[in-house]
Amino acid sequence: MTSTQWFGRGRSKQSSATNSKELRIRAYDIVVIGSGIAGLSAAKHLQKANSSYKILVLEARDRLGGRTYTLVDEDEQHHHRRENESMTANNTSTPSKSNSIYIDMGATWVHGGKQSGQPIAVLANAMGYKLMNDNTEDERLYDLDARKFISPQKMEQAQQSFEATLKKAKKHAKSVESRRKQDISIQQALESVNPVIVQDPLQQYLIRQWLEFDFGGTADTISGAHFDEDSEFHGADSIPSQGYKPIVERLANGLDIQLETQVSTIDYDTKGVRLFTNRGIYEAKRVVCTIPLGVLKSGAVSFKPSLSESKQRAIDRLGWGVVNKVALLFNRVFWPPKQSGFGVVSSETPFCQYILNKYPFTQVPMLEAYIVGKQAQRMADLSNEEVVDNIIHELSIMFGQTVEMLEDSLIQKIYIQRWEKEEFTRGAYSYATVGSKADDFEAFEYSQLKVLFFAGEHTSVDYRGTAHGAFLSGRRAARDILSTLEDKSRVPAFSSLVT
């Protein structure tokens, strides 16, 4: 069951999975579990390295992409309305260049540029696919209490102060770990070096933005000593012009992919792997498992024999965060049209942490609200109506519009993504929780008996929690499989996967 809901004030639509079962056993050289970026990367690398391999990708959902999930809005009535109503703040008509609206409910940004070797950027360049720099104008912060935007100077000062405090906090956490042989949370570390931080709404915003948004967890669960032991690619962030969908589809092109196939048991020995699913049994010489950490934590999939102690320890210790998104389509732009995004600050934790302005990238009056940390957890108990009401309330304060005006401006089409409700992810992405270490991510880099391999953002030491980390983990799994098969083929260059 998918948790992304088309919401039009009282209506929702959800997909349903098939119940058909086929009991015959099918044999393959390699089976990849999952058609997210990691699974597609692994399968495509292997296919390009040696086209003689019989490769199958199994996907539990009725769609490709995993947490790279692009919705396409092609509602004719909606487009007719867009063409006939004001599209900009100054009442001049600016129709979209496309008949479709692309809405990424999962991965949204490409972090880093092709010059630094960022793999998603390299793929997009090889495809001739446009990435739009997220630099229209710097983001602005809005203070809900003072009912005004915070000046860039004050914002810069706050960021510099927070960065200095964060460095001291990590040093303190490392010292505590060394002396007491135990980790503390980054929240505890921050309060230890700067007790008044809890009283500063702007500093609390930065905790949510720099830590809870980036890592997915709440600050009181994120490791103080190990939260940032990863890497990044240089270059500006960008947003794919039509979402991640074209990249996912190009990677999937030519692969044998079977949807709506749920794996319940992974049985393996030195001879190979047997997968038990709702569609029967599959056998393979090698298997790549890209099942998300949240599903591994749930125990929904069993391994026979049990996974190694290091992997099971990693599953238990690593954090699995929640970052939810709500996309709202309006019939007019009532916010600064060139501003890339808006942070929300308040003495009481605001419902929205960040609001991305999609208008500069799509010419569509659309805002995407991000809900993180404790508000993301709170969202699990709220109805669709309550979620939207919370967002509209904050937007009305920020942009000087009445709630009634904003509700009238809504094109009764709102998309709500609750990742913690997704049966096949159960959360957003992984992070180092209190008590975990980089070794826990690294544990997944090693196979089980050289027949069962792992990929996914949670298996990336350097690029955890990112789409490019997922892609690179798939490449690593493909390389390792080739070595166990004594195959002299090498994993191909990134660009060759889509050309």
Side-chain angles (χ1 to χ4, degrees):
M1 181 177 69
T2 179
S3 73
T4 299
Q5 297 176 333
W6 173 89
F7 173 58
R9 292 294 183 184
R11 293 177 292 172
S12 66
K13 183 172 70 175
Q14 297 182 332
S15 63
S16 60
T18 180
N19 292 319
S20 64
K21 294 184 179 180
E22 300 174 17
L23 299 179
R24 63 190 179 90
I25 298 175
R26 284 146 289 191
Y28 291 83
D29 293 314
I30 302 163
V31 171
V32 178
I33 305 173
S35 71
I37 287 289
L40 295 177
S41 170
K44 199 69 171 182
H45 276 97
L46 288 163
Q47 182 195 61
K48 287 283 187 176
N50 191 329
S51 60
S52 68
Y53 288 144
K54 188 179 181 183
I55 302 171
L56 176 67
V57 179
L58 298 179
E59 170 56 52
R61 295 179 177 85
D62 61 355
R63 63 169 179 84
L64 304 175
R67 282 163 282 164
T68 49
Y69 178 23
T70 308
L71 291 171
V72 183
D73 183 335
E74 295 177 327
D75 188 292
E76 291 301 323
Q77 182 178 358
H78 166 63
H79 292 295
H80 177 74
R81 186 173 184 178
R82 283 170 51 209
E83 291 171 359
N84 287 279
E85 296 192 10
S86 169
M87 299 294 287
T88 63
N90 62 6
N91 242 7
T92 59
S93 177
T94 309
S96 173
K97 297 177 181 178
S98 170
N99 290 327
S100 300
I101 300 173
Y102 299 87
I103 309 167
D104 270 326
M105 300 307 295
T108 299
W109 286 273
V110 175
H111 300 292
K114 66 180 186 296
Q115 293 84 357
S116 64
Q118 210 278 18
I120 305 300
V122 172
L123 289 176
N125 183 66
M127 291 169 54
Y129 181 41
K130 185 177 182 180
L131 300 180
M132 307 181 72
N133 286 342
D134 185 12
N135 62 355
T136 310
E137 285 184 13
D138 291 338
E139 65 181 31
R140 295 290 304 276
L141 298 186
Y142 190 88
D143 187 332
L144 291 177
D145 298 333
R147 301 208 169 202
K148 65 179 182 179
F149 281 102
I150 295 172
S151 70
Q153 294 79 10
K154 184 176 180 180
M155 179 177 169
E156 184 176 355
Q157 290 172 357
Q159 289 175 337
Q160 291 175 351
S161 174
F162 182 73
E163 187 172 4
T165 301
L166 192 58
K167 288 180 180 179
K168 292 178 183 177
K170 181 174 181 178
K171 184 177 180 180
H172 173 70
K174 284 285 191 181
S175 175
V176 170
E177 183 181 53
S178 176
R179 289 183 286 108
R180 302 180 190 172
K181 306 302 180 187
Q182 67 180 46
D183 193 8
I184 61 174
S185 73
I186 191 60
Q187 181 74 44
Q188 185 178 350
L190 286 166
E191 293 178 10
S192 295
V193 300
N194 183 12
V196 300
I197 198 169
V198 296
Q199 302 168 3
D200 188 333
L202 192 46
Q203 294 293 303
Q204 288 296 308
Y205 164 82
L206 292 170
I207 289 174
R208 294 191 300 274
Q209 188 73 359
W210 289 25
L211 297 170
E212 295 184 339
F213 195 173
D214 273 4
F215 301 111
T218 55
D220 59 356
T221 65
I222 297 171
S223 168
H226 305 285
F227 70 94
D228 63 346
E229 294 178 343
D230 54 357
S231 303
E232 61 183 24
F233 288 97
H234 297 296
D237 288 352
S238 56
I239 293 178
S241 55
Q242 295 181 347
Y244 267 83
K245 183 180 178 67
I247 297 171
V248 167
E249 290 179 343
R250 186 66 69 89
L251 286 174
N253 185 42
L255 295 175
D256 185 1
I257 301 174
Q258 184 168 296
L259 302 176
E260 298 183 290
T261 306
Q262 302 173 29
V263 175
S264 57
T265 302
I266 301 175
D267 194 344
Y268 64 98
D269 57 27
T270 55
K271 296 179 181 178
V273 184
R274 178 171 283 197
L275 304 174
F276 294 84
T277 80
N278 61 317
R279 289 181 176 271
I281 301 170
Y282 297 82
E283 291 183 341
K285 298 174 183 175
R286 302 290 185 268
V287 164
V288 181
C289 174
T290 72
I291 295 171
L293 179 62
V295 179
L296 295 178
K297 281 179 171 292
S298 74
V301 178
S302 61
F303 294 85
K304 297 182 180 181
S306 299
L307 295 176
S308 64
E309 183 179 346
S310 62
K311 288 188 181 66
Q312 191 55 58
R313 183 170 58 243
I315 292 170
D316 294 338
R317 293 201 306 198
L318 290 177
W320 188 239
V322 179
V323 174
N324 288 332
K325 183 187 292 189
V326 179
L328 304 97
L329 281 68
F330 296 90
N331 62 23
R332 63 189 177 95
V333 175
F334 54 82
W335 56 88
K338 293 184 179 180
Q339 207 78 55
S340 61
F342 310 92
V344 188
V345 180
S346 175
S347 56
E348 295 186 7
T349 305
F351 187 72
C352 300
Q353 169 62 19
Y354 181 77
I355 298 170
L356 177 64
N357 175 19
K358 292 301 288 289
Y359 182 73
F361 309 103
T362 65
Q363 293 299 294
V364 173
M366 177 169 60
L367 296 175
E368 291 179 355
Y370 289 80
I371 297 92
V372 307
K374 294 190 186 312
Q375 293 289 27
Q377 295 176 346
R378 175 189 166 214
M379 184 174 163
D381 298 322
L382 299 179
S383 67
N384 286 342
E385 288 85 355
E386 289 172 322
V387 169
V388 174
D389 287 346
N390 273 284
I391 297 171
I392 291 296
H393 171 70
E394 292 182 356
L395 291 176
S396 71
I397 297 173
M398 292 173 66
F399 301 116
Q401 306 277 311
T402 67
V403 169
E404 292 75 15
M405 290 169 65
L406 294 186
E407 289 180 338
D408 288 343
S409 299
L410 269 174
I411 300 174
Q412 297 303 297
K413 199 168 257 193
I414 302 160
Y415 292 99
I416 299 178
Q417 179 64 41
R418 303 171 184 264
W419 283 107
E420 81 283 356
K421 298 284 189 182
E422 276 273 4
E423 180 182 2
F424 304 120
T425 55
R426 308 191 186 209
Y429 37 83
S430 62
Y431 66 97
T433 191
V434 176
S436 66
K437 303 179 186 298
D439 290 350
D440 293 320
F441 294 98
E442 188 177 3
F444 292 103
E445 293 189 353
Y446 305 102
S447 69
Q448 295 285 138
L449 302 181
K450 296 185 178 181
V451 297
L452 178 59
F453 299 77
F454 293 82
E457 53 82 16
H458 64 285
T459 74
S460 175
V461 176
D462 293 329
Y463 304 109
R464 66 195 73 156
T466 65
H468 56 267
F471 176 88
L472 290 172
S473 73
R475 180 182 176 85
R476 181 202 68 234
R479 179 200 65 210
D480 292 347
I481 284 176
L482 291 173
S483 67
T484 64
L485 294 173
E486 297 182 356
D487 193 322
K488 294 183 180 180
S489 303
R490 295 185 178 183
V491 290
F494 299 156
S495 58
S496 69
L497 302 184
V498 293
T499 55

